[in-house]
Amino acid sequence: MKIVLMGPPGAGKGTQGARLSKIYGIPQISTGDILRETVTDQDVLGKQIGDIIGKGQLVPDELIVSIIEERISQEDCRGGFVLDGFPRTVDQAEALERVLPESVDVTVYLNVPIKEVIERLSGRLTCRDCGAVFAKEDISLCPVCSGPLFQREDDQRSTVEHRLKVYMAHTAPIANFYRSRNKLAEIDGTGVPEKVFEQIEREISQVVEG
Ligand code: AMP
């Protein structure tokens, strides 16, 4: 099963991707996580990528496409994968079609109103060790792995607004790309994660049943 998860930043792609990965036994590939790991290297490329992420911009298509191409050619992706954060431009979506022998099975579009997304992002904390995210509460350690929680630089309000502009300009048009290929499942991404996941499972079972 090859699944693309799309939706604005903060729509719940990471949370739903983790569930899909567990249930279907396929890896979750988060380009944001892969890029953040590169940033910890602190070489020239790492610094450039850190700068781009910090400003809420997109890294160049060629770079991210080559990262994805290499990742999905690995053994653990033979049975499929969940892409979380890729593609983010129509050029990336076209590149993915060229790389895959067959198209993706389904693109799940998590629909969350922009106002709610801004509240979610500027109110969330991320675990520095395992990357899990939590709504800001009175906690300082990750309930999953006890790592320290922090606010991502790009979750600060001014950057969030810029990320959403980038999303509307470059990423939202991908919905039409997949809709025209009959690959788009639109999901109401508001509400508790369990309910959102039930909708996703219903859509995927329709794909499986053909
Ligand atoms: P995310 O964790 O998915 O919100 O991604 C964090 C940041 O990584 C984004 O704001 C971009 O700067 C960068 N990024 C992640 N995925 C992509 C992609 N497919 N294309 C370009 N930049 C990306």
Side-chain angles (χ1 to χ4, degrees):
M1 177 72 65
K2 298 187 289 295
I3 304 168
V4 169
L5 270 177
M6 72 167 289
K13 299 186 293 295
T15 305
Q16 301 301 337
R19 284 168 188 249
L20 287 166
S21 164
K22 200 167 164 197
I23 291 210
Y24 293 98
I26 48 179
Q28 174 183 14
I29 302 176
S30 156
T31 42
D33 285 350
I34 295 174
L35 291 169
R36 278 184 289 276
E37 271 168 35
T38 314
V39 173
T40 55
D41 289 349
Q42 281 305 312
D43 54 7
V44 176
L45 183 64
K47 284 189 183 133
Q48 281 173 350
I49 293 175
D51 199 37
I52 292 173
I53 295 179
K55 289 183 182 147
Q57 295 165 350
L58 296 179
V59 304
D61 285 340
E62 312 81 67
L63 173 67
I64 200 77
V65 167
S66 68
I67 289 175
I68 280 290
E69 202 172 345
E70 198 275 325
R71 179 66 189 87
I72 64 181
S73 69
Q74 290 173 15
E75 187 64 27
D76 64 336
C77 291
R78 284 176 69 139
F81 43 76
V82 191
L83 293 180
D84 156 10
F86 181 93
R88 248 177 163 102
T89 65
V90 172
D91 281 352
Q92 291 179 16
E94 283 170 350
L96 181 63
E97 295 290 299
R98 284 195 295 274
V99 167
L100 294 173
E102 285 168 22
S103 184
V104 298
D105 296 296
V106 61
T107 298
V108 174
Y109 181 27
L110 298 174
N111 215 334
V112 178
I114 294 303
K115 192 167 167 280
E116 183 167 338
V117 155
I118 293 177
E119 280 163 18
R120 284 188 190 184
L121 287 176
S122 41
R124 80 176 179 183
L125 294 175
T126 302
C127 173
R128 207 175 277 287
D129 290 345
C130 75
V133 290
F134 304 93
K136 245 188 221 170
E137 287 169 26
D138 199 13
I139 48 171
S140 56
L141 291 182
C142 171
V144 178
C145 76
S146 303
L149 299 179
F150 75 113
Q151 184 180 40
R152 268 170 53 176
E153 185 188 354
D154 59 342
D155 280 348
Q156 284 163 22
R157 183 135 190 155
S158 55
T159 315
V160 163
E161 283 167 7
H162 184 67
R163 284 165 73 195
L164 288 169
K165 279 191 193 135
V166 169
Y167 174 78
M168 295 311 288
H170 300 283
T171 311
I174 298 176
N176 276 337
F177 177 92
Y178 287 114
R179 191 178 288 117
S180 67
R181 287 163 175 76
N182 257 334
K183 298 281 181 192
L184 193 75
E186 281 193 64
I187 304 279
D188 175 4
T190 59
V192 294
E194 292 73 22
K195 292 281 170 214
V196 175
F197 192 68
E198 280 172 17
Q199 294 178 64
I200 297 177
E201 274 197 303
R202 269 200 297 278
E203 291 290 342
I204 291 184
S205 52
Q206 282 177 18
V207 172
V208 174
E209 285 154 20

